[in-house]
Amino acid sequence: MRAFIGVIGLYLVVALALPLGLMLGKSLQGSKDEFVGLANYVRYFSTPALFQSIGNSLWVSILSTAITVPSAFAYAYALTRTRMPLRGLFKTIALVPILVPSLLPGLALVYLFGNQGLIKGLLLGHSIYGPIGIVMAEVFTTFPHALLIILAALALADARLYEAAVALRASPARIFWTVTLPGARYGLISATFVVFTTVITDFGAPKVIGGQYNVLATDVYKQVIGQQNFQMGAVVSVILLMPAIFAFLVDRAVRRRQVALLSARAVVYEPTPKRVLDLAMLAYCTLIGMAILSIVAVSQFAALVKFFPYNLTLTWAHYDFDTKGGGGWASYYNSIRLAFLTAMVGTVIVFVGAYLVEKTRGFALGRALFHFLAMLPMAVPGLVLGLAYIFFFNAPANPLNVLYRTMTILVVNTVVHFYTVGHLTALTALRQMDPEFETVSASLKQPFYRTFWRVTVPVCLPSTLDIAIYMFVNAMTTVSGVVFIYGPRTELASISVLNMDDTGEIASAAAMAMMIFYTNTAARGLHLLLARWLEHRTQAWRRR
Amino acid sequence: MGKALRREVGAQEIAAAPYLRIQRLTKRFGAFTALDDLSLEIAEGEFVCFLGPSGCGKTTLLRTIAGLDVQTSGRIEQGGRDISALPATKRDFGIVFQSYALFPNLTVTRNVAYGLDNTRARRADVVKRVHELLDMMGLVEHAAKYPAQLSGGQQQRVALARALATSPGLLLLDEPLSALDAKVRVYLRHEIKQLQRRLGVTTIMVTHDQEEALTMADRIVVMNHGAIEQIGTPLEIYRAPASPFVADFIGVMNFVAGTVARDRAVRVGRTELACEVDGFAPGTPVTLAIRPEDILVHDARGGEGNVVRVRVDALAFLGSFFRADLVGDAMDGVLLRADLPVDLVRRRSIAEKSELSALLPPERIRIYPGDTIHR
């Protein structure tokens, strides 16, 4: 048992703790690896061109959060608390941004609002390149994440509270302020921090549409790729870690308090039709849904015509990736390989790890440490993790450096990058199982692995599928985690989007981004079918 | 009578070597002592209940016997073998939990067969054994169902069948009935007891329900604060509770503060009551205890042996009897609860504010040291 925890723990140490530790060390070293104390930090804060990015990053993050969270709340309210028609469709549409790389909204915004944009006039002379474009792209990207969290919070409604409020003759407005909003407050706080963290660590949107507006994430990239100044890259990374870790800690504290909120005897709230409210919400959701769909539609349309919006002749030319600046079609197949491997390997590692943390007894210190390592990736931006990998795996003294720039390292990195959400999903599933299963098995003299295989895995199968699809989709779309560690033979689709955008082949970049979207949509569809089939085949026991 | 019975059981214990012997068992969780230097012997084939309020250590004791919790110190012997250091998988027991812990994705048959599958038994033997168990439990028609498709009582019986499948020497039941509704619970109490008698398997059941313990157990171990308060047959525990805690925990008990007046008499207010004083010296403050059903309505006018004049302060109808709150001036206004037969209340037209004479039979009064009334 301890050996198992040790093996997976060792994975997290090598793939996460050691690289991060090394990076912290690098930020204290000079260009010849000599120890220079805080000299790099002093230089950073005495260079206005650098530390201005902190203000820029905070500004776009706060602005994006202030827009995303209230609009996602209204959308979630419409989905859960009204009888608005087409709720299922609207939920599906709102989740579309999860399936695309964060570079895609930037590309679409260029087509819509760029120098030759279709509806450039709407910006009243302001440029899309800069904070306006970044915020618009980030709102698109973070909307579904905020929505899912708030949906979960609103789903916890206890009908008895509403009945009590109505019996006490409270007005609808008063009920909203005294019951609905307080009930969702932890969800709102959690969504706020998730959005803020995602925006401040995101690299794709500011890279594509940030123009001369520097933020922390693009600074790391410029220092490392542009100037080869790894020490300064490490410094910016450490600074980028701060808000992410802070937000992460607050979020954890908030989530812990949410558990006590729902009592087992709560009665599920069923909304009643309210004509005016339902219609108003339908109008609102249509507006948001159209905005989301138009971003995707513009990207696809632009990828299919000669020169959007001037020459609308249909052409496949932009799909001829092999003649463009990126990694060609090979990068697309690499992405699928990476996504598939990450889903397979990651799901097994994550699930077994969560099982060991949750279901074994004794060895408390080891389990606590393991849990901490499993939670850490949530707070580590992809770029920071990637840079840490350069320091760790590219070091000549490290025997693991044979992995550098291989598919293996990309899988290792991506599994760690998206470890936490999978870990939490697995823990939730495992905690729903009777804690006495292991005890009963022991009394029946069965080894633990037999119960794991015959009971735990089958019961948790739907959750493991969820973990797998989550890993797959994110491996397809991620840029930040892998941008520093891909090699000439392991270029990925998302990286190709980035590189083709860099070389001005925006239509091809959009075409490739849409390939990622279609692949993820197909994977989701497959996941749905597989889940249905499995439920039919192996989950018969769930039916009464 | 109680004492005589206790002596008899004691003699039996010495005659047969105990199947389970627990010696000076202590279990600490950090600073909290869950089991405090506890010793206990259980004979083969006995049905023993651990009874006590939540947090008294009864579940910890059960888990320690199973090897699920490891004792801080002390020794456990089962069938003459020292099992103190053995892990749960090496011990010989079957267990049923409050939640049943049935594997939800396995059918009733597969649940019951779970412990048999990897023994060297032949497949045909396993099938036969499972059928035998399902037949015994009246579950044959449910064999292919999943746990979620069964009622609570049926799930309980599947859990029992699974625990008994490997023919363990010791059956452990951790509050097995508390998740069921009252009617099913009463029925299953009887069922389990019958089954246990038939199989003769040594059984330990943890419960906080005194009625369950009184109806099912051969012997009850009453626990409080990690220690044993009393061990005895249900009748002994009820008739002769060894401490005010046991007296109060099992059934309903009136407690009255008094002082030993002389040999075989205790003074309460202005009244002197005859009773066994258990060797306490005159002048010692004591607590008298008497059960509501032991207080009788008497014809005399009071003043004679153990008869006091009381007023009915409140009268509650509880179906098969009336519970009366009796207050007597002669006893300093102490409140006594008495259970009066329905027939008697009707015959004498007893109502609130009625005056009557109550007899407190000397042999029914028990005395505990101290004048603090246990509450």
Side-chain angles (χ1 to χ4, degrees):
Chain A
M1 223 50 146
R2 286 177 185 221
F4 282 103
I5 297 185
V7 168
I8 299 184
L10 190 70
Y11 171 76
L12 286 176
V13 167
V14 170
L16 180 68
L18 289 181
L20 281 181
L22 201 63
M23 191 197 69
L24 285 177
K26 277 285 175 192
S27 73
L28 304 174
Q29 289 177 353
S31 53
K32 292 183 186 64
D33 290 348
E34 76 281 16
F35 182 75
V36 295
L38 293 174
N40 291 329
Y41 289 89
V42 172
R43 195 148 55 85
Y44 179 85
F45 283 104
S46 52
T47 316
L50 286 172
F51 75 74
Q52 258 168 11
S53 300
I54 298 178
N56 290 351
S57 271
L58 287 174
W59 172 238
V60 292
S61 304
I62 290 168
L63 209 57
S64 307
T65 311
I67 296 170
T68 303
V69 174
S71 48
F73 178 80
Y75 203 93
Y77 188 88
L79 292 181
T80 53
R81 299 295 171 83
T82 74
R83 297 284 292 271
M84 177 185 79
L86 305 174
R87 294 193 299 275
L89 176 71
F90 280 115
K91 187 179 172 190
T92 310
I93 292 173
L95 298 184
V96 161
I98 289 181
L99 306 177
V100 304
S102 67
L103 303 159
L104 182 130
L107 299 173
L109 288 172
V110 169
Y111 279 120
L112 288 171
F113 300 102
N115 292 334
Q116 292 141 356
L118 201 59
I119 45 176
K120 187 182 169 211
L122 288 180
L123 289 183
L124 305 170
H126 296 284
S127 170
I128 191 71
Y129 298 101
I132 297 178
I134 297 176
V135 169
M136 285 170 83
E138 297 294 7
V139 170
F140 173 88
T141 303
T142 54
F143 188 81
H145 299 282
L147 181 71
L148 286 175
I149 294 169
I150 298 171
L151 274 180
L154 285 176
L156 300 181
D158 187 345
R160 295 173 307 168
L161 290 179
Y162 286 87
E163 282 162 7
V166 170
L168 293 166
R169 307 213 175 84
S171 68
R174 182 135 186 260
I175 294 176
F176 179 83
W177 287 106
T178 54
V179 181
T180 308
L181 216 50
R185 68 183 184 278
Y186 292 129
L188 285 171
I189 296 171
S190 195
T192 301
F193 282 107
V194 166
V195 172
F196 181 86
T197 315
T198 311
V199 176
I200 207 163
T201 59
D202 182 48
F203 162 71
K207 175 78 180 69
V208 173
I209 205 160
Q212 301 305 310
Y213 194 79
N214 292 331
V215 294
L216 290 170
T218 45
D219 279 356
V220 176
Y221 185 72
K222 280 181 195 155
Q223 290 296 331
V224 173
I225 300 290
Q227 306 185 8
Q228 298 281 313
N229 187 343
F230 293 98
Q231 286 72 25
M232 197 48 84
V235 169
V236 186
S237 292
V238 172
I239 289 164
L240 190 54
L241 257 177
M242 296 299 153
I245 286 184
F246 172 74
F248 167 78
L249 291 178
V250 175
D251 185 49
R252 291 307 303 161
V254 166
R255 271 173 206 235
R256 207 162 293 147
R257 294 182 60 177
Q258 184 160 15
V259 179
L261 210 64
L262 184 73
S263 70
R265 303 178 59 184
V267 180
V268 178
Y269 176 78
E270 292 280 354
T272 50
K274 295 189 194 73
R275 214 179 138 68
V276 178
L277 178 71
D278 292 354
L279 281 178
M281 282 305 186
L282 181 64
Y284 171 74
C285 290
T286 309
L287 193 74
I288 300 268
M290 295 288 277
I292 291 171
L293 288 182
S294 61
I295 294 272
V296 180
V298 163
S299 306
Q300 182 56 77
F301 192 51
L304 281 174
V305 297
K306 279 221 166 100
F307 189 55
F308 186 85
Y310 299 108
N311 184 346
L312 298 184
T313 321
L314 289 174
T315 172
W316 288 110
H318 304 304
Y319 281 84
D320 197 5
F321 297 131
D322 291 341
T323 65
K324 312 287 185 212
W329 278 101
S331 67
Y332 173 70
Y333 301 123
N334 278 339
S335 265
I336 289 182
R337 259 174 70 209
L338 171 68
F340 191 74
L341 286 170
T342 303
M344 295 295 122
V345 177
T347 305
V348 171
I349 292 180
V350 164
F351 188 76
V352 174
Y355 173 82
L356 294 172
V357 167
E358 183 61 26
K359 296 287 177 186
T360 59
R361 303 160 63 80
F363 199 33
L365 182 70
R367 278 160 52 210
L369 211 68
F370 185 96
H371 185 64
F372 170 78
L373 282 176
M375 295 306 296
L376 191 58
M378 184 86 106
V380 179
L383 274 182
V384 177
L385 190 64
L387 181 58
Y389 269 43
I390 300 185
F391 293 139
F392 185 70
F393 288 99
N394 199 24
N398 187 344
L400 291 173
N401 73 7
V402 294
L403 295 176
Y404 195 60
R405 294 187 185 281
T406 61
M407 185 54 89
T408 309
I409 194 109
L410 292 176
V411 174
V412 167
N413 173 286
T414 312
V415 168
V416 166
H417 189 178
F418 299 106
Y419 198 98
T420 308
V421 170
H423 182 70
L424 291 174
T425 307
L427 278 187
T428 307
L430 289 166
R431 280 180 186 155
Q432 280 165 0
M433 296 187 30
D434 197 314
E436 308 294 7
F437 283 167
E438 279 67 29
T439 316
V440 166
S441 302
S443 83
L444 295 171
K445 310 202 173 24
Q446 304 294 323
F448 78 93
Y449 53 82
R450 182 152 182 272
T451 309
F452 176 77
W453 193 242
R454 275 197 63 185
V455 180
T456 313
V457 170
V459 169
C460 293
L461 208 55
S463 300
T464 51
L465 270 186
D466 288 347
I467 299 171
I469 187 71
Y470 170 83
M471 291 261 176
F472 185 95
V473 166
N474 279 295
M476 283 301 295
T477 57
T478 187
V479 180
S480 60
V482 291
V483 71
F484 291 145
I485 51 171
Y486 74 89
R489 296 159 142 282
T490 54
E491 188 162 343
L492 301 168
S494 53
I495 304 291
S496 281
V497 177
L498 182 77
N499 290 340
M500 288 190 284
D501 175 63
D502 257 353
T503 55
E505 291 149 322
I506 304 181
S508 288
M512 185 64 100
M514 287 308 290
M515 287 304 294
I516 294 175
F517 169 70
Y518 292 127
T519 309
N520 276 339
T521 307
R524 275 258 176 216
L526 207 65
H527 166 246
L528 214 65
L529 286 177
L530 195 64
R532 287 239 174 97
W533 179 77
L534 273 175
E535 193 187 314
H536 189 73
R537 274 293 312 271
T538 68
Q539 310 287 302
W541 51 272
R542 286 189 199 271
R543 290 189 286 273
R544 280 179 182 268
Chain B
M1 169 222 163
K3 276 190 175 167
L5 204 74
R6 198 186 303 172
R7 232 169 277 131
E8 199 183 288
V9 171
Q12 270 177 3
E13 275 169 12
I14 295 160
Y19 177 68
L20 195 73
R21 186 198 298 253
I22 292 161
Q23 287 171 317
R24 310 208 58 181
L25 201 67
T26 296
K27 171 72 185 174
R28 289 194 196 87
F29 295 103
F32 175 72
T33 304
L35 298 175
D36 191 5
D37 195 22
L38 186 148
S39 297
L40 174 68
E41 291 184 353
I42 294 173
E44 183 147 21
E46 227 184 343
F47 194 128
V48 172
C49 272
F50 294 169
L51 178 65
S54 50
C56 71
K58 56 189 192 296
T59 297
T60 307
L61 179 55
L62 187 88
R63 292 179 67 87
T64 312
I65 292 170
L68 302 171
D69 284 334
V70 181
Q71 68 274 20
T72 310
S73 65
R75 186 181 155 91
I76 305 173
E77 276 175 32
Q78 182 179 356
R81 189 166 65 119
D82 181 6
I83 58 165
S84 314
L86 292 182
T89 39
K90 297 268 167 59
R91 297 191 190 188
D92 177 23
F93 70 96
I95 191 163
V96 175
F97 289 102
Q98 186 178 352
S99 64
Y100 315 139
L102 294 176
F103 302 125
N105 62 321
L106 303 182
T107 60
V108 168
T109 305
R110 296 214 155 273
N111 263 287
V112 175
Y114 199 85
L116 302 169
D117 280 357
N118 75 334
T119 51
R120 273 152 314 210
R122 283 188 302 121
R123 181 129 188 85
D125 291 340
V126 171
V127 172
K128 192 164 150 260
R129 173 77 179 139
V130 170
H131 186 81
E132 195 179 292
L133 285 157
L134 292 180
D135 193 36
M136 186 166 72
M137 297 289 174
L139 289 166
V140 174
E141 74 231 66
H142 304 297
K145 289 186 183 169
Y146 291 104
Q149 297 164 328
L150 302 178
S151 71
Q154 289 163 341
Q155 291 185 30
Q156 214 278 338
R157 278 181 279 161
V158 176
L160 202 54
R162 182 177 64 182
L164 291 170
T166 50
S167 309
L170 181 64
L171 180 62
L172 305 177
L173 309 171
D174 186 6
E175 307 239 5
L177 300 175
S178 56
L180 299 167
D181 12 318
K183 278 243 159 94
V184 184
R185 199 153 59 203
V186 171
Y187 171 71
L188 274 173
R189 254 186 224 164
H190 181 72
E191 286 276 283
I192 293 177
K193 180 69 193 162
Q194 291 286 315
L195 185 72
Q196 190 269 340
R197 270 220 191 115
R198 189 140 41 98
L199 300 177
V201 56
T202 312
T203 302
I204 300 175
M205 181 169 90
V206 161
T207 181
H208 64 267
D209 182 339
Q210 43 156 319
E211 217 177 290
E212 220 165 271
L214 289 173
T215 51
M216 295 173 80
D218 295 328
R219 278 197 305 157
I220 298 175
V221 177
V222 186
M223 293 180 64
N224 192 28
H225 298 311
I228 293 176
E229 289 271 340
Q230 187 173 6
I231 306 176
T233 65
L235 215 56
E236 281 173 345
I237 300 265
Y238 192 81
R239 278 282 169 228
S243 66
F245 170 82
V246 177
D248 190 38
F249 189 74
I250 311 250
V252 181
M253 187 66 95
N254 289 298
F255 290 105
V256 181
T259 321
V260 176
R262 57 199 154 76
D263 190 28
R264 307 183 70 82
V266 171
R267 174 167 291 284
V268 179
R270 284 181 283 124
T271 310
E272 219 175 69
L273 296 171
C275 65
E276 186 66 58
V277 294
D278 284 348
F280 289 117
T284 316
V286 290
T287 298
L288 284 77
I290 184 164
R291 296 217 181 263
E293 69 269 26
D294 289 337
I295 298 178
L296 305 173
V297 175
H298 201 254
D299 289 326
R301 292 287 306 159
E304 323 172 9
N306 285 24
V307 176
V308 285
R309 285 300 286 175
V310 290
R311 191 180 67 249
V312 178
D313 219 32
L315 195 63
F317 178 53
L318 296 180
S320 49
F321 62 92
F322 280 93
R323 174 150 299 163
D325 286 359
L326 307 177
V327 180
D329 292 334
M331 283 172 56
D332 274 358
V334 166
L335 189 144
L336 288 175
R337 282 162 300 173
D339 292 349
L340 309 179
V342 176
D343 170 57
L344 178 88
V345 171
R346 198 182 301 134
R347 229 170 346 103
R348 297 203 167 205
S349 12
I350 296 172
E352 283 183 17
K353 302 210 169 50
S354 298
E355 298 262 334
L356 49 84
S357 298
L359 169 65
L360 281 53
E363 73 276 13
R364 296 292 187 226
I365 300 175
R366 291 191 57 83
I367 301 267
Y368 299 106
D371 56 357
T372 47
I373 292 170
H374 180 87
R375 272 287 93 187

